Amino acid sequence: MVRLDKTQGRRTTLHNKENDFAYWSRQSYEKRLDALDYLRDQYIRFKYDKRPGLQRVYTVTERKPR
């Protein structure tokens, strides 16, 4: 997973705010997907207080003797 570069942020006022759609339209699809994954991860951590992951499924089988 690629982390977002948080050092590229800028402070701005609401009156000088750049259009979000225009900003994200200029970004590569990899960077947009990384940002989406980052926001999704932050939301899940906030709402459920745990790290998202895949559910593990175990199946018990009996082996036949050879």
Side-chain angles (χ1 to χ4, degrees):
M1 176 161 125
V2 178
R3 284 301 201 188
L4 295 178
D5 185 6
K6 296 178 185 177
T7 62
Q8 296 298 319
R10 295 180 297 200
R11 290 186 184 210
T12 185
T13 64
L14 290 177
H15 301 291
N16 297 332
K17 185 177 172 184
E18 181 184 6
N19 184 353
D20 288 339
F21 181 77
Y23 171 78
W24 287 108
S25 296
R26 291 191 308 266
Q27 303 304 314
S28 68
Y29 72 90
E30 291 99 348
K31 188 169 183 179
R32 287 184 273 177
L33 286 175
D34 288 341
L36 180 63
D37 188 50
Y38 175 76
L39 291 173
R40 183 190 61 81
D41 184 51
Q42 292 297 311
Y43 174 76
I44 290 172
R45 285 178 190 238
F46 170 75
K47 185 166 182 166
Y48 302 110
D49 196 28
K50 61 182 172 181
R51 175 85 168 108
L54 297 175
Q55 182 180 11
R56 290 174 175 74
V57 178
Y58 295 99
T59 305
V60 177
T61 59
E62 290 184 29
R63 292 180 55 181
K64 294 181 181 178
R66 292 184 189 199

